[in-house]
Amino acid sequence: MSIRLRLTLLYTLILALTLLLFGTALYTVQAQGTLNALKQELSRGGESTVQMVLRFYRDASLLPPDPPPGEDHRPPLQDLSSEPAFQQLREREIVRVLNAEGVLVATPFAAASEALPLSVEGLDALRNQEIWWEIASWDEARLLIYNRPVIVDDELVFIVQTARPLTEREDSLRTLSRTLLIAGVLTTVIAFGIGWALAGAALRPIHRITQTAQAIGNESDFSRRVDYTGPDDEVGRLATTFNAMLVRLEEAYRRVSEALSLQRDFVADVSHELRTPLTTIRGNLALLRRTPPLPEAEQNEILVDAEVESDRMTRLVNNLLLLARADAGPSLKHAPVAVAPVIEESCRQARQLDRQREIVEHIAKDVTVLGDRDALKQIALILLDNALKHSQGSITVSVKAEAPWALLEVRDVGPGIAPDLLPHVFDRFHRGQANSDTPGFGLGLPIAKTLVEGCNGAIAIESTPGCGSVVRVRLPLWAEQDAKPGTSATER
């Protein structure tokens, strides 16, 4: 069952229950109101009849004070029935006069046998001088009967019955119930149709969201958006949130696609880099197995070539291993490390890579950071190696304290980095078109960034095309108050 149908049925059910409660209340109020009105009219008519009967009783003395035994105690009917006032009573209100035993005494237009119904409970209540209301069937009609005791000298003398048919009231109530039923059914049907249309209009943006999601799933096109121009209600906020999610998904999908493309290129580069030394080593080994054997000088050259290629593969594998450890979240030490010895050692090793290049050092001797010594050295070597590969002039290395940080800068003079490539220098596997012929795998700066962040530091790069680049590393300074008992020694 769709949400649209469920909402429409819910609205219709609520309306139907409301109409049912309203109709029941209206019918009950109308029924009770008409009944009370009839009772009031009957009470007024009955009281008039009682006053008339009392006057006749006092004047005519219908009941003898001491009737002889065996004689009929009922007064002569013709005396009261022939009274003009009694004759003038409206036949719409049926009037009967009974004696204390409940026997018919007088009636304006009827014979003595046509008495109105009176139950035993009603007769007992009248004898106890209580008014009694009764609804009974009489002459194929339902009557509302008002039974009024006539008390003289604290004794029940007569019972006056005033009745009126309930036919008009019941016909009116039946008409009212049919009207309420028909109106309720028609209103419910119309409300169902209107609710169906309104629910469809309200859920139309959700339907468009569903269609957009299906299209995105089928076409993998995250550039599509939900077209919503309605008010800023719950559905509007849903459409806005869905569009915002699509923006983030599109960006994430783009990044994942770029990363996968870079990884494919990286795998191809690694395969090429590994295939070349492996082919060289295999060829050299085949040469060493030749018979007769090669001269000793040539054998030494072959071994040197194999060693160089083996070192190259070792460096590649070490970089991949370091990157894998970085992805796994390496646990670096956080101990005081003197920066100057580490940077000076790294500069000496870097000079061995290119003895023609000048590396200028401006290193403060009293700078101590809270970090990992091996990570700090790896960071310095990566930055120096990167500067040697991508520049031609001198390289300047500086270390100074800028509380609460220690600042390490590596500045080179060279072609620099293009502005469109600068935001991607820390992306893994990224080398840039300008550097596609430069040896390396695009892992140095990403590894350095991971290590710096592992030491709770930050790294940034600035570059001016045609002038060179500068890499700045900030690491937290170590202070004496940071030392724990037993850890005051500085790593060197």
Side-chain angles (χ1 to χ4, degrees), residues 47-292:
E47 291 300 325
S48 300
T49 305
V50 168
Q51 296 302 323
M52 182 192 66
V53 171
L54 284 175
R55 287 194 301 272
F56 178 81
Y57 173 74
R58 293 190 182 99
D59 296 341
S61 300
L62 290 176
L63 291 178
D66 295 316
E71 292 185 6
D72 188 5
H73 291 187
R74 187 177 63 184
L77 295 176
Q78 63 276 12
D79 294 344
L80 181 59
S81 299
S82 59
E83 276 293 308
F86 203 64
Q87 293 277 346
Q88 293 174 1
L89 290 176
R90 295 177 299 173
E91 184 59 20
R92 183 182 179 187
E93 294 180 356
I94 305 173
V95 178
R96 299 290 185 268
V97 180
L98 310 178
N99 63 9
E101 302 300 326
V103 179
L104 181 64
V105 173
T107 178
F109 304 103
S113 59
E114 295 180 343
L116 294 177
L118 179 62
S119 62
V120 177
E121 294 83 357
L123 183 59
D124 293 338
L126 292 168
R127 287 172 178 173
N128 292 329
Q129 302 182 8
E130 298 176 1
I131 295 175
W132 178 259
W133 290 94
E134 190 166 346
I135 296 178
S137 297
W138 182 76
D139 193 18
E140 298 182 356
R142 284 166 50 83
L143 301 178
L144 174 63
I145 305 173
Y146 172 67
N147 299 278
R148 170 71 159 81
V150 180
I151 309 299
V152 177
D153 297 331
D154 200 25
E155 180 181 357
L156 177 63
V157 179
F158 292 110
I159 298 174
V160 175
Q161 289 184 311
T162 306
R164 180 175 292 186
L166 296 175
T167 305
E168 293 183 4
R169 172 179 176 270
E170 292 175 347
D171 291 343
S172 175
L173 292 177
R174 278 193 294 269
T175 302
L176 176 63
S177 62
R178 283 195 299 268
T179 302
L180 291 175
L181 179 61
I182 295 174
V185 172
L186 290 178
T187 303
T188 302
V189 172
I190 294 173
F192 181 88
I194 296 175
W196 178 263
L198 292 178
L203 295 175
R204 192 170 296 117
I206 298 180
H207 181 62
R208 287 200 294 266
I209 291 176
T210 303
Q211 290 179 332
T212 303
Q214 290 176 346
I216 291 174
N218 295 332
E219 303 172 7
S220 298
D221 181 11
F222 291 97
S223 62
R224 300 191 58 170
R225 298 293 182 269
V226 177
D227 183 18
Y228 180 77
T229 57
D232 187 20
D233 52 9
E234 288 80 359
V235 177
R237 289 193 292 272
L238 174 62
T240 302
T241 303
F242 189 78
N243 286 334
M245 181 189 68
L246 288 177
V247 171
R248 294 191 293 270
L249 285 176
E250 182 182 11
E251 179 64 19
Y253 185 77
R254 183 187 63 80
R255 291 180 179 179
V256 169
S257 299
E258 291 179 356
L260 290 176
S261 178
L262 291 174
Q263 287 183 9
R264 284 193 295 268
D265 295 340
F266 168 75
V267 171
D269 291 341
V270 171
S271 300
H272 175 74
E273 295 293 338
L274 288 176
R275 183 173 63 249
T276 300
L278 287 174
T279 302
T280 302
I281 293 174
R282 182 177 181 180
N284 289 337
L285 291 176
L287 290 175
L288 292 176
R289 295 178 60 185
R290 287 182 57 180
T291 303

Side-chain angles (χ1 to χ4, degrees), residues 155-465:
E155 180 181 357
L156 177 63
V157 179
F158 292 110
I159 298 174
V160 175
Q161 289 184 311
T162 306
R164 180 175 292 186
L166 296 175
T167 305
E168 293 183 4
R169 172 179 176 270
E170 292 175 347
D171 291 343
S172 175
L173 292 177
R174 278 193 294 269
T175 302
L176 176 63
S177 62
R178 283 195 299 268
T179 302
L180 291 175
L181 179 61
I182 295 174
V185 172
L186 290 178
T187 303
T188 302
V189 172
I190 294 173
F192 181 88
I194 296 175
W196 178 263
L198 292 178
L203 295 175
R204 192 170 296 117
I206 298 180
H207 181 62
R208 287 200 294 266
I209 291 176
T210 303
Q211 290 179 332
T212 303
Q214 290 176 346
I216 291 174
N218 295 332
E219 303 172 7
S220 298
D221 181 11
F222 291 97
S223 62
R224 300 191 58 170
R225 298 293 182 269
V226 177
D227 183 18
Y228 180 77
T229 57
D232 187 20
D233 52 9
E234 288 80 359
V235 177
R237 289 193 292 272
L238 174 62
T240 302
T241 303
F242 189 78
N243 286 334
M245 181 189 68
L246 288 177
V247 171
R248 294 191 293 270
L249 285 176
E250 182 182 11
E251 179 64 19
Y253 185 77
R254 183 187 63 80
R255 291 180 179 179
V256 169
S257 299
E258 291 179 356
L260 290 176
S261 178
L262 291 174
Q263 287 183 9
R264 284 193 295 268
D265 295 340
F266 168 75
V267 171
D269 291 341
V270 171
S271 300
H272 175 74
E273 295 293 338
L274 288 176
R275 183 173 63 249
T276 300
L278 287 174
T279 302
T280 302
I281 293 174
R282 182 177 181 180
N284 289 337
L285 291 176
L287 290 175
L288 292 176
R289 295 178 60 185
R290 287 182 57 180
T291 303
L294 296 174
E296 184 176 353
E298 293 184 14
Q299 291 183 7
N300 291 333
E301 293 177 358
I302 291 174
L303 291 175
V304 170
D305 291 341
E307 184 178 3
V308 171
E309 296 300 329
S310 177
D311 290 341
R312 183 181 176 189
M313 286 193 299
T314 301
R315 288 194 301 272
L316 175 59
V317 172
N318 287 337
N319 284 337
L320 292 175
L321 180 60
L322 182 59
L323 183 61
R325 289 176 178 174
D327 287 336
S331 177
L332 300 178
K333 297 179 182 179
H334 289 80
V337 179
V339 178
V342 178
I343 302 303
E344 291 171 354
E345 179 183 349
S346 300
C347 290
R348 285 196 302 270
Q349 294 180 3
R351 290 188 182 95
Q352 301 300 319
L353 300 177
D354 190 348
R355 296 182 180 274
Q356 305 300 321
R357 301 289 294 278
E358 179 184 11
I359 300 178
V360 181
E361 301 177 16
H362 299 289
I363 302 174
K365 301 298 183 181
D366 58 346
V367 179
T368 303
V369 298
L370 190 63
D372 186 283
R373 188 185 190 282
D374 292 338
L376 178 58
K377 183 176 180 180
Q378 184 70 30
I379 293 167
L381 289 174
I382 289 174
L383 298 183
L384 289 169
D385 180 68
N386 199 64
L388 290 172
K389 289 180 180 177
H390 300 285
S391 66
Q392 294 82 31
S394 62
I395 300 172
T396 302
V397 180
S398 62
V399 175
K400 60 182 178 179
E402 292 182 354
W405 303 102
L407 178 61
L408 166 64
E409 287 187 358
V410 178
R411 185 183 302 270
D412 63 55
V413 178
I417 303 173
D420 59 328
L421 299 178
L422 193 60
H424 304 286
V425 293
F426 293 109
D427 294 345
R428 295 178 181 181
F429 319 119
H430 180 79
R431 298 174 62 189
Q433 293 180 353
N435 299 327
S436 58
D437 297 331
T438 303
F441 306 100
L443 297 176
L445 288 179
I447 293 173
K449 184 175 185 293
T450 302
L451 294 175
V452 170
E453 292 176 349
C455 294
N456 298 324
I459 185 172
I461 185 170
E462 296 179 3
S463 183
T464 303

